[in-house]
Amino acid sequence: MDAAGLSPRQLAVRTGVTTKTVERWLADADLTPHARNRDDACRALGVDEDMLWPKAVKERIKSGGDPEIVQTYPYRSAAPSALWADLTGNVADDILLAGYTGYFLWSQVPRFPEVLRSKVEAGCRVRFLIGDPEGEVTQQREAIEATALSVSTRIRITLEHLAPLASLDGLEARYSAPEDAVNHVSLSVFRFDEEALVTPHLARLVGHDSPLLHLRRRGEGGMFDRFAEHAEELWTRGLPIEF
């Protein structure tokens, strides 16, 4: 906390708890906060969980949990509001946003166009892989979800936001190939260097009602690599979008 320049009150604000709760964390080394609070505290302090609460990490590994899983959320909308912004802001080399619609990113990440522009200008590769709004799988998914804000409409919102950025050298956008659309619409992968957010889409649920996994790469062949390779494979067969 001293190194991060945060007082107990400031850390409490960052993690959404009371100051007394933070003071209890400091006073009782055996007290393990809720997983979401641990994740928020680690991001606020810029450290890994095993530095603050090694007991929790050991228990998770002992019980069979994958060490590359930073956190799980029963709904994408349950993830901390700052998570998407933090991952986008901290990335240096490669962003691959392989969500089928991706429209929510512009409301989830403050000043998203400006952030993307600054990342590209700093040498970061930025890629969007989205579904074809006219594709057969898109139409099938619309019938399944039966929501007012349809899948094709959400994709077109993303296209409208991307159009002003299309001239940036370093930003690329593709539609998933028709033969890959079924695999794409059922699994969204958002990669930020060696961290990723993954959403498997359940039955007729829209993205914000489906689960979310936060992954961080720790070695070859782990959970992170499995999902990253899936997204890369879809990307290689993707069709360039003409703006």
Side-chain angles (χ1 to χ4, degrees):
M1 288 172 59
D2 288 341
L6 295 179
S7 67
R9 184 186 64 79
Q10 291 170 321
L11 182 58
V13 171
R14 296 283 191 93
T15 55
V17 300
T18 66
T19 303
K20 287 186 176 180
T21 297
V22 173
E23 291 172 346
R24 284 198 295 270
W25 295 348
L26 295 171
D28 187 352
D30 292 325
L31 180 63
T32 301
H34 185 277
R36 179 169 178 173
N37 296 143
R38 297 199 306 268
D39 192 37
D40 287 342
C42 289
R43 284 203 312 278
L45 298 172
V47 298
D48 289 332
E49 185 179 357
D50 54 4
M51 178 179 176
L52 296 183
W53 293 286
K55 180 180 177 181
V57 174
K58 289 179 181 178
E59 287 299 319
R60 185 173 71 234
I61 296 175
K62 182 179 178 181
S63 64
D66 191 296
E68 292 196 337
I69 299 178
V70 177
Q71 185 58 276
T72 62
Y73 303 94
Y75 306 92
R76 192 184 71 199
S77 56
S81 59
L83 178 59
W84 294 90
D86 287 348
L87 290 177
T88 305
N90 292 333
V91 76
D93 300 314
D94 191 12
I95 299 175
L96 174 54
L97 303 172
Y100 199 78
T101 68
Y103 80 107
F104 69 94
L105 291 164
W106 273 264
S107 60
Q108 193 75 49
V109 180
R111 301 175 60 252
F112 193 45
E114 290 84 353
V115 172
L116 292 179
R117 188 179 296 275
S118 68
K119 292 298 176 181
V120 170
E121 291 174 350
C124 180
R125 185 185 188 189
V126 177
R127 295 176 287 168
F128 282 83
L129 181 68
I130 59 177
D132 182 351
E134 303 293 339
E136 181 180 354
V137 169
T138 297
Q139 308 309 313
Q140 292 171 348
R141 186 65 191 179
E142 286 188 353
I144 291 171
E145 291 184 3
T147 59
L149 191 61
S150 67
V151 179
S152 59
T153 298
R154 302 200 302 267
I155 294 172
R156 290 189 175 94
I157 291 173
T158 292
L159 292 172
E160 289 177 3
H161 284 302
L162 282 176
L165 301 172
S167 61
L168 288 177
D169 185 15
L171 187 146
E172 306 166 74
R174 296 180 183 180
Y175 293 130
S176 53
E179 64 270 24
D180 291 327
V182 171
N183 294 327
H184 188 193
V185 78
S186 61
L187 180 67
S188 294
V189 178
F190 305 91
R191 177 184 176 179
F192 308 87
D193 284 345
E194 296 202 336
E195 295 194 55
L197 298 174
V198 177
T199 293
H201 297 274
L202 302 183
R204 66 181 183 279
L205 299 180
V206 296
H208 64 261
D209 283 334
S210 293
L212 181 73
L213 306 177
H214 179 189
L215 307 176
R216 182 178 297 133
R217 191 175 190 271
R218 293 183 179 272
E220 295 184 2
M223 288 280 282
F224 175 91
D225 281 354
R226 300 295 303 279
F227 286 111
E229 288 165 5
H230 166 82
E232 289 290 347
E233 182 177 347
L234 298 187
W235 172 262
T236 59
R237 292 193 290 268
L239 308 176
I241 298 174
E242 300 296 334
F243 291 96

